[in-house]
């Protein structure tokens, strides 16, 4: 998608603080962090949200969740606790329409979320 911010980050056209990448996934720090650790894990392939996932995307999902754990371990929050969030569509708070998982940690989280 030519006008997608995260596609541009994935290919390096927009700079980001990348903490992990592999052939399927890139993870970088959120520009407006909501916790001491706030990393976004995104598939390299553009899709709008989890609602665009298909039956054959099992390998991609494994890569995403493997990356989430790797990021949590590298950031030193895996043992304490991690919140993983994906917002789907506008009312849920989605503002960038390229699938991404927020990986948050380093402070106690409240429930219910705002
Ligand atoms: P959403 O609101 O779609 O769930 O999450 C989008 C996230 O992307 C927000 O937390 C926002 O701060 C972050 N974000 C938006 N634009 C950029 C950017 O250009 N670079 C980085 N690193 N994060 C961004
Ligand atoms: Zn995109």
């Amino acid at each position: 998608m030519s006008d997608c911010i995260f596609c541009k980050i994935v290919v390096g056209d927009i700079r980001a603080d990348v903490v992990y990448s592999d052939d399927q996934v890139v993870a970088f720090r959120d520009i407006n962090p909501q916790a001491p650790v706030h990393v976004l894990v995104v598939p390299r392939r553009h899709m709008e949200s989890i609602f665009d996932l298909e039956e054959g995307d099992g390998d991609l999902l494994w890569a995403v969740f493997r990356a989430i754990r790797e990021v949590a371990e590298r950031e030193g929050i895996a043992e304490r606790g991690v919140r993983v969030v994906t917002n789907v569509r506008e009312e849920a708070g989605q503002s960038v329409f390229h699938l991404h998982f927020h990986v948050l940690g380093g402070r106690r989280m409240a429930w219910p979320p705002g």
Side-chain angles (χ1 to χ4, degrees):
M1 283 267 164
S2 57
D3 59 347
C4 172
I5 295 171
F6 288 177
C7 279
K8 289 178 180 164
I9 288 175
V10 163
V11 299
D13 285 353
I14 291 179
R15 207 186 290 243
D17 187 357
V18 174
V19 298
Y20 173 88
S21 79
D22 63 31
D23 60 334
Q24 298 208 75
V25 174
V26 179
F28 52 90
R29 293 191 197 287
D30 196 294
I31 206 169
N32 182 24
Q34 302 300 313
V37 174
H38 187 172
V39 170
L40 302 172
V41 174
V42 316
R44 289 182 178 275
R45 194 179 102 213
H46 181 91
M47 68 181 86
E48 196 171 297
S49 77
I50 54 169
F51 284 1
D52 292 330
L53 287 163
E54 292 175 351
E55 195 175 354
D57 288 329
D59 285 354
L60 176 63
L61 279 175
W62 163 240
V64 165
F65 283 94
R66 182 180 58 198
I68 287 170
R69 187 175 68 196
E70 180 65 27
V71 166
E73 287 172 354
R74 289 186 186 185
E75 296 293 318
I77 56 172
E79 299 298 324
R80 293 172 59 183
V82 180
R83 182 163 293 176
V84 179
V85 174
T86 190
N87 297 318
V88 180
R89 299 188 175 153
E90 191 271 333
E91 190 168 283
Q94 187 173 8
S95 60
V96 176
F97 294 88
H98 178 129
L99 174 61
H100 54 283
F101 291 82
H102 298 259
V103 180
L104 298 142
R107 66 166 170 83
R108 182 160 292 278
M109 298 292 163
W111 193 264

